[in-house]
Amino acid sequence: RAFLSGKAYLLVSCGMAIFTFQGSRDIINVLLPAIQSDFGLSYIVLGLVAASYDWGHAALLLLGGYLSDRYGKTRTILVGLAWFVIASAATGLAPTYWSLIGLRLATGFAFGAYFVAGNSLLAEAFAPSERGRAIGLHYAGGSAGRFAIPLLAGAITISAGWRFAFLPLSLAAVVAAILFFFLKGPSSSPAPAAVSV
């Protein structure tokens, strides 16, 4: 239990989550040529496909922050990761480009649910004297995702097509969800309600 409530375990959990979400952000860059060929898209629609993940992320930031304060940061992250697993796996099954845009938007929602909650967990767990290193390591996990996931997606697209390239994202999100499921500590719970006098 001491390990599951420790700072290192929290950092690994957050690092795996940001690895997944940032990898999902950049995966689309590698897949756009294959998607354009498959659906016969104009450059304008291709731009909608490319931007939809970040739109979803931006749209849910405020709500994600509210939910993390209201229901607990870890719980909000877990719900977001579960949502991401389903939406990301379904993205490869998108029958039309509009459904592809909608599913990318939905995966972006999950990133919005994580972003505020994950950063808040780290800020609460690490003292100011060590917070900079922790945040830096956290975002190093995100940079690793932006490096590794597109490379993997390119290799999968060559051998099996772009639709299968989203499956590793779902698998990475499952790993992150398992890590957060076992996370222990007071910072993972919602704040107690204020008592008026």
Side-chain angles (χ1 to χ4, degrees):
R1 180 175 176 85
F3 173 71
L4 297 178
S5 62
K7 295 175 183 178
Y9 186 83
L10 173 63
L11 197 53
V12 168
S13 301
C14 289
M16 188 65 203
I18 199 73
F19 173 92
T20 304
F21 290 126
Q22 293 286 25
S24 182
R25 169 180 270 161
D26 279 10
I27 192 175
I28 201 69
N29 299 331
V30 176
L31 304 180
L32 284 176
I35 291 170
Q36 183 181 32
S37 176
D38 199 10
F39 289 120
L41 303 181
S42 69
Y43 283 105
I44 292 174
V45 177
L46 207 61
L48 293 175
V49 172
S52 54
Y53 181 82
D54 281 320
W55 291 346
H57 170 235
L60 208 78
L61 281 174
L62 288 177
L63 180 58
Y66 166 77
L67 293 173
S68 69
D69 289 340
R70 178 73 174 83
Y71 297 105
K73 296 169 183 62
T74 302
R75 187 175 298 165
T76 301
I77 292 169
L78 278 170
V79 170
L81 286 167
W83 176 269
F84 183 92
V85 169
I86 296 166
S88 185
T91 301
L93 303 174
T96 67
Y97 65 84
W98 284 114
S99 59
L100 176 62
I101 290 169
L103 286 163
R104 287 291 291 167
L105 193 75
T107 52
F109 288 163
F111 188 19
Y114 168 79
F115 193 80
V116 176
N119 282 289
S120 295
L121 277 174
L122 291 170
E124 291 173 3
F126 289 89
S129 61
E130 56 189 9
R131 195 171 295 151
R133 288 190 302 274
I135 299 286
L137 285 169
H138 173 234
Y139 281 103
S143 296
R146 297 182 86 164
F147 173 78
I149 294 295
L151 285 176
L152 182 58
I156 292 172
T157 301
I158 290 169
S159 59
W162 69 268
R163 294 180 178 277
F164 289 94
F166 291 97
L167 293 178
L169 286 172
S170 291
L171 180 60
V174 167
V175 172
I178 291 170
L179 289 170
F180 274 101
F181 181 79
F182 290 106
L183 180 66
K184 306 293 182 190
S187 61
S188 63
S189 302
V195 178
S196 58
V197 180

